Amino acid sequence: MNTTEKPKGPDRLPGDPTLKQLVERIVRVDHAGEYGAVRIYEGQMAIMGNTKAGPTIERMLNQEREHLSTFEDLMVDRGVRPTAFLPLWHAAGFALGAATALMGEKAAMACTVAVEKVIGEHYHEQQSLLENDQKKLKKIIKKFEADELEHHDIGISHDAEKTPGYKIL
């Protein structure tokens, strides 16, 4: 399928994005999400870097940096502009990471669980939207989904659910 054509099929409605527009949106949104995740972990590291949780958070941060770098490359390759909200993600992500870290390791891990669950689900949904000619992007998203769900599970294993007010966090 030519990437400027509109996807065909029974689920296609007038006004739906073309495959090219869909891919651009996915790359932009995923870049923003990974940028936010990096900033959350940087906020957590600023507070907890020298604690027993520091190496675990640093490992997750490094994986998120790899994800961000991949999406930065995809943006350049595909000529996709970043979201206008990056300055907000910059400040809010760091603040969220630092604030939950100040509440303690369990709260920081509760933040990780919540964020990574949503991102993992988001990546899972995106895979079903992509066409067969987007195998490279699908493969990247599938790998990153697995990484995000691993981070979720790390948070659970670090007693995130025992955080007072866990459901609210």
Side-chain angles (χ1 to χ4, degrees):
M1 170 189 292
N2 180 323
T3 58
T4 59
E5 286 180 29
K6 296 185 181 207
K8 303 202 180 344
D11 295 335
R12 170 84 179 94
L13 297 173
D16 283 352
T18 64
L19 180 59
K20 182 179 187 303
Q21 291 168 330
L22 176 67
V23 169
E24 287 175 356
R25 187 177 301 159
I26 286 172
V27 170
R28 181 178 302 107
V29 166
D30 291 353
H31 171 265
E34 295 299 347
Y35 185 86
V38 165
R39 292 299 290 158
I40 289 169
Y41 286 122
E42 286 174 345
Q44 290 179 348
M45 283 298 294
I47 305 301
M48 302 181 73
N50 293 324
T51 69
K52 67 181 176 93
T56 300
I57 295 168
E58 185 174 31
R59 186 169 42 98
M60 293 187 291
L61 170 59
N62 288 334
Q63 283 181 305
E64 299 296 353
R65 285 179 173 152
E66 174 192 333
H67 298 177
L68 177 60
S69 176
T70 299
F71 280 110
E72 286 172 344
D73 292 344
L74 286 168
M75 289 177 76
V76 170
D77 291 347
R78 295 170 183 264
V80 176
R81 65 172 176 73
T83 179
F85 293 109
L86 276 187
L88 176 63
W89 295 172
H90 183 81
F94 189 89
L96 178 61
T100 56
L102 285 168
M103 295 168 63
E105 179 182 345
K106 291 176 186 170
M109 291 299 168
C111 175
T112 295
V113 167
V115 170
E116 302 296 16
K117 180 179 184 218
V118 170
I119 294 173
E121 290 170 352
H122 188 70
Y123 279 153
H124 185 75
E125 290 170 13
Q126 286 179 346
Q127 292 173 63
S128 68
L129 297 174
L130 293 171
E131 301 287 329
N132 289 334
D133 64 341
Q134 297 296 323
K135 287 180 184 172
K136 178 183 174 189
L137 182 57
K138 246 181 159 168
K139 184 178 178 183
I140 289 167
I141 290 173
K142 185 174 184 171
K143 185 220 182 286
F144 291 177
E145 175 192 9
D147 291 347
E148 306 300 353
L149 295 177
E150 177 190 6
H151 298 171
H152 170 274
D153 294 346
I154 288 169
I156 295 292
S157 72
H158 281 82
D159 296 328
E161 295 171 307
K162 293 181 181 174
T163 304
Y166 172 76
K167 297 260 186 211
I168 294 169
L169 276 176

